Amino acid sequence: MTTRDERNKFSAVIEERIIKDNVSTMEAIVNYCEETGLELEVAGSLVNSVLKLKIEDEAKKLRYLKSK
């Protein structure tokens, strides 16, 4: 089980990468996992509600999800 502090640190790193690398949230997460060796399944447990909303918004814009 991940702690709130771990999720907040992960979120901060991902948010920084989104801005610095000008990539989507999912791209930032996948790139981070590739560079650090973190399993995607573990990263999934670190995604907080803010990142989840960003991923959902990006998916809707790409029409991967239907808008409600």
Side-chain angles (χ1 to χ4, degrees):
M1 188 75 178
T2 60
T3 66
R4 177 180 282 170
D5 190 45
E6 290 171 323
R7 289 189 301 271
N8 288 340
K9 286 180 183 178
F10 180 77
S11 178
V13 169
I14 298 304
E15 293 282 354
E16 184 178 302
R17 284 173 170 259
I18 292 168
I19 294 167
K20 185 184 90 172
D21 299 337
N22 193 31
V23 294
S24 70
T25 305
M26 284 301 299
E27 286 176 290
I29 292 170
V30 170
N31 291 343
Y32 178 80
C33 290
E34 288 175 350
E35 291 172 15
T36 63
L38 182 67
E39 294 290 328
L40 286 172
E41 293 80 12
V42 175
S45 69
L46 294 170
V47 173
N48 65 12
S49 60
V50 174
L51 289 178
K52 285 180 185 177
L53 286 174
K54 286 186 174 202
I55 292 168
E56 184 178 342
D57 286 343
E58 291 170 3
K60 285 178 182 175
K61 287 178 184 173
L62 294 170
R63 295 186 179 180
Y64 294 154
L65 292 175
K66 290 184 180 180
S67 298
K68 294 181 181 177

